């Protein structure tokens, strides 16, 4: 098993923390992991992306240049990274913010209204975990339980009260992916 995931969006959308959650969950499950963040100098609103590699075997390079999965949180990220995804890979799109369609027909696309679902859960900051839940359901890369455990490491202690809504977001995303696969 080798999954190379590129997560891209604006700063403040949880792009880097989503990558951290995946990496920690992989470590909890005794998998090989790598997490490489990339972001602009802005505090919020600038570009942000990260590459996460999770494997059963040692990882030769932590750089994700040909992702098996692309998570797109905004339109500029789709424009920039769509071509990088390997044929047969996944592109998961936050359709609440991205109004553009994928141009390729050799990848599997899932449009997820992540912000809308997060609003229904009462907290727009969990939109990233809606998409992460869908990714977990589609790929089986890690378990939702491991990601929930990882929230304790990624979120500062003062934000641990947010763990239940983050778990709900993960479960909603997984449920949506199950329904869309049918």
């Amino acid at each position: 098993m080798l999954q190379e995931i590129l997560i891209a969006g604006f700063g403040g959308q949880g792009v880097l923390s989503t990558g951290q959650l995946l990496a920690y969950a992989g470590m909890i499950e005794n998998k090989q992991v790598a997490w490489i963040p990339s972001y602009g100098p802005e505090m919020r609103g600038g570009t942000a992306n990260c590459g996460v590699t999770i494997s059963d075997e040692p990882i030769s390079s932590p750089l994700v240049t040909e992702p098996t999965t692309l998570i797109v949180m905004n339109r500029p990220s789709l424009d920039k990274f769509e071509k990088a995804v390997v044929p047969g890979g996944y592109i998961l799109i936050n359709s609440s913010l991205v109004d553009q369609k994928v141009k390729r027909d050799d990848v599997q696309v899932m449009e997820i209204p992540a912000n809308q679902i997060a609003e229904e859960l009462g907290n727009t900051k969990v939109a990233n975990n809606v998409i992460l839940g869908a990714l977990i359901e589609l790929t089986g890369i890690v378990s939702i339980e491991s990601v929930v455990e990882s929230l304790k490491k990624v979120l500062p202690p003062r934000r641990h009260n947010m763990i239940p809504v983050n778990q709900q977001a993960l479960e909603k995303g997984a449920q949506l992916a199950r329904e869309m696969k049918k």
Side-chain angles (χ1 to χ4, degrees):
M1 186 275 295
L2 172 67
Q3 288 283 331
E4 295 182 310
I5 299 117
L6 185 62
I7 307 163
F10 291 128
Q13 288 186 300
V15 168
L16 302 181
S17 61
T18 301
Q20 286 180 312
L21 287 171
L22 271 173
Y24 275 115
M27 287 190 290
I28 287 170
E29 295 182 8
N30 294 314
K31 296 178 180 173
Q32 304 291 314
V33 302
W35 173 75
I36 301 284
S38 175
Y39 46 88
E42 304 89 351
M43 291 280 290
R44 289 194 175 274
T47 59
N49 68 75
C50 68
V52 179
T53 305
I54 299 181
S55 177
D56 293 330
E57 303 289 325
I59 297 167
S60 60
S61 172
L63 298 178
V64 175
T65 56
E66 296 180 327
T68 54
T69 300
L70 172 63
I71 293 177
V72 175
M73 296 299 288
N74 63 12
R75 185 176 177 167
S77 296
L78 180 61
D79 293 338
K80 184 174 182 177
F81 296 114
E82 175 182 347
K83 292 178 182 152
V85 180
V86 298
Y90 289 103
I91 299 179
L92 280 61
I93 298 174
N94 180 359
S95 61
S96 296
L97 300 178
V98 180
D99 59 357
Q100 179 175 304
K101 299 293 182 192
V102 171
K103 296 176 179 84
R104 296 173 55 183
D105 61 6
D106 63 343
V107 293
Q108 299 174 62
V109 178
M110 184 168 286
E111 295 179 358
I112 301 160
N115 284 61
Q116 177 187 330
I117 293 168
E119 284 176 24
E120 291 167 6
L121 292 172
N123 192 320
T124 57
K125 292 183 179 184
V126 300
N128 59 321
N129 283 332
V130 173
I131 291 190
L132 180 55
L135 169 74
I136 291 167
E137 179 65 30
L138 289 173
T139 65
I141 189 168
V142 293
S143 70
I144 286 181
E145 294 77 21
S146 293
V147 174
V148 171
E149 186 65 28
S150 299
L151 283 163
K152 297 172 188 170
K153 296 186 182 305
V154 174
L155 293 177
R158 71 181 191 284
R159 297 282 186 239
H160 283 194
N161 63 320
M162 300 280 296
I163 291 174
V165 72
N166 277 281
Q167 183 171 358
Q168 289 175 328
L170 290 162
E171 291 167 353
K172 281 281 194 188
Q175 176 187 351
L176 184 62
R178 275 191 300 280
E179 291 169 2
M180 293 175 109
K181 282 195 307 189
K182 291 180 182 178

